[in-house]
Amino acid sequence: MYSNGNLEEHQNNKYHKTAVERAKQFLKDFGKPELEIQNQLSKSRLKQIQENRKRLLPIIDTIITIGKQNIAFRGHRDDGFVDVPSVSSQQQSIANEGNFRAILKMRIRAGDNILGEHLKSASSRATYISKNHPKFYY
């Protein structure tokens, strides 16, 4: 390696210092499984799954309620975004958007903030309230 066998010269090289620091960091992190990437990704994925379920539950509950009550699901004008009312707003749409949308709006007015935020912030392809089947692209 070194013709004169000088270990001090090797010890002072940048690559050696970097390797020593990385080894120290590895040993420090090795005993902490919460810092491992796969565990961090799993936690993040688990959190996303839980959030998605919270978003879908009021929509699924509304669908089940409409089915149990044997009432019409859709109205004449039920395409596009749902005009999300504020909790204090009692203003009703003139157009009949159907029972499904009416019940979703009622839930929001009654304080379902998760549903309201979902319908405000989700893209038009991710609201899960469309009468059309999603198109899949391969």
Side-chain angles (χ1 to χ4, degrees):
M1 181 185 290
Y2 293 99
S3 59
N4 62 3
N6 189 348
L7 292 178
E8 286 183 29
E9 186 177 337
H10 170 77
Q11 191 175 11
N12 291 326
N13 282 327
K14 184 177 179 181
Y15 68 84
H16 177 78
K17 290 179 181 180
T18 302
V20 169
E21 288 302 315
R22 287 182 181 170
K24 286 179 183 177
Q25 189 63 41
F26 172 79
L27 292 173
K28 180 180 168 186
D29 294 344
F30 183 73
K32 298 179 182 177
E34 66 273 7
L35 297 178
E36 291 181 27
I37 292 174
Q38 66 190 38
N39 292 337
Q40 289 179 357
L41 291 176
S42 294
K43 287 179 187 177
S44 174
R45 184 172 183 265
L46 180 61
K47 182 180 177 185
Q48 186 64 52
I49 289 169
Q50 291 169 339
E51 288 176 9
N52 289 344
R53 287 180 180 174
K54 286 179 186 177
R55 291 175 173 212
L56 289 175
L57 280 175
I59 296 169
I60 293 168
D61 183 51
T62 302
I63 292 169
I64 291 170
T65 301
I66 287 172
K68 284 182 178 178
Q69 296 301 315
N70 198 27
I71 57 178
F73 195 78
R74 296 287 177 185
H76 182 63
R77 305 242 188 264
D78 62 354
D79 290 330
F81 285 105
V82 171
D83 182 25
V84 178
S86 66
V87 175
S88 62
S89 170
Q90 295 300 319
Q91 182 180 0
Q92 297 292 323
S93 173
I94 296 172
N96 181 0
E97 292 184 288
N99 295 321
F100 178 57
R101 286 176 175 242
I103 293 172
L104 291 177
K105 287 182 176 184
M106 182 208 60
R107 289 182 74 127
I108 295 166
R109 285 192 310 272
D112 192 334
N113 296 327
I114 293 172
L115 176 62
E117 194 56 40
H118 167 66
L119 294 177
K120 282 182 194 176
S121 64
S123 76
S124 63
R125 298 180 70 160
T127 59
Y128 307 107
I129 63 168
S130 172
K131 66 182 179 185
N132 301 324
H133 296 288
K135 294 179 180 154
F136 297 101
Y137 299 97
Y138 299 99

